[in-house]
Amino acid sequence: MPGRHGRCRLLPGHAPGALQGRMNPEQDLFGRLWRHVEACNNVASPAHLIPFRIAGQQVGWLGAELARALAFFPRDVHFDREGAALAGRIRGEAAATATLERLARALAGRGHFRLRDEAFDVRATPDGPVLARIDRGALPPFGILSQGVHVNGFVRRPDGLHLWVGWRSKHKPVAPGQMDNIVAGGIPAGLGPEECLVKEAGEEASLPAEVATRAVPVGRVAYVMANEEGLRRDVLHCYDLELPEGLVPRPQDDEVERFELRPAAEVLREVAEGDRVKFNVNLVLTDFFLRHGLLDGLPEEARRRLRAGLSAG
């Protein structure tokens, strides 16, 4: 992984001896952005993990510790040469959900993770059918796919693009006090991305539904990241929302401390040079910078590699 001071990997086709002395600004910028891609995709191979299946479809990956804990529930979880699976007698979404709820409560009670009292859909693929529901706190320990929405709120001014950014509450369990998108949140069970976007826009930024629904879907960012919770397999549905000059978002809940409107070039410097931006927001913003021409100074190969890295998961 590139160092924190911007040393970058060479682009494909560059020999190690091709660069001598100090890197030029374009190579340095690529390295500073690429470090975020690598930080969010830090799993070289899943060979050390155990596949987890529901109804014959793989939905997650288990670490050795959680797999050992699940072995104490032989009526609910079976192990075979292909990994672990909910028992075959557990059929249908409702039965699978009830079993996962029971397992999650038991495992949380034994200290394996902390429940968050928010249900998420369990799918084998982002667009696949819902196979069950599980508490959000159990998603990384089970290595189950999670989906969220992220909105780039921007304003066009004569001096260029400006971005609304939010500063997360210092009491948040994840990335406290760090910079975030104007609207972002996990997609709870039963909602689609657009419904979640409208909900989060009202709850986090006091944006009315008629404004939030103007957001334009621009693609997805995906990554696989191992951390102390387990394995984050996240798919982020990204949107651009152009806002009028006079509209000012206001915190509605306790998740955001304040919002700031900053030049997009200044936000790019925050991503490239600092560590104050939430880890996955770095990727969402890099996607925004690529699409809006802020990285046109990079070689095409560097931009191509960044684009590919943003969907590595």
Side-chain angles (χ1 to χ4, degrees), residues 36-55:
H36 299 305
V37 174
E38 287 198 321
C40 288
N41 293 278
N42 61 358
V43 181
S45 167
H48 63 292
L49 300 171
I50 299 170
F52 178 65
R53 308 185 309 277
I54 295 176

Side-chain angles (χ1 to χ4, degrees), residues 239-304:
Y239 294 79
D240 281 359
L241 176 59
E242 184 171 359
L243 296 171
E245 180 75 36
L247 194 152
V248 178
R250 301 185 314 278
Q252 182 70 23
D253 55 24
D254 59 356
E255 297 192 2
V256 180
E257 289 188 349
R258 68 187 188 280
F259 291 99
E260 294 178 356
L261 183 62
R262 303 178 65 170
E266 184 179 301
V267 179
L268 172 55
R269 284 196 296 274
E270 283 277 8
V271 173
E273 299 176 8
D275 293 292
R276 299 200 299 170
V277 181
K278 183 172 180 271
F279 64 95
N280 55 7
V281 175
N282 286 307
L283 305 191
V284 176
L285 289 172
T286 297
D287 173 70
F288 180 88
F289 301 144
L290 282 166
R291 290 185 291 100
H292 288 271
L294 277 78
L295 299 179
D296 283 356
L298 290 177
E300 174 58 31
E301 176 64 17
R303 285 179 276 135
R304 182 203 63 78

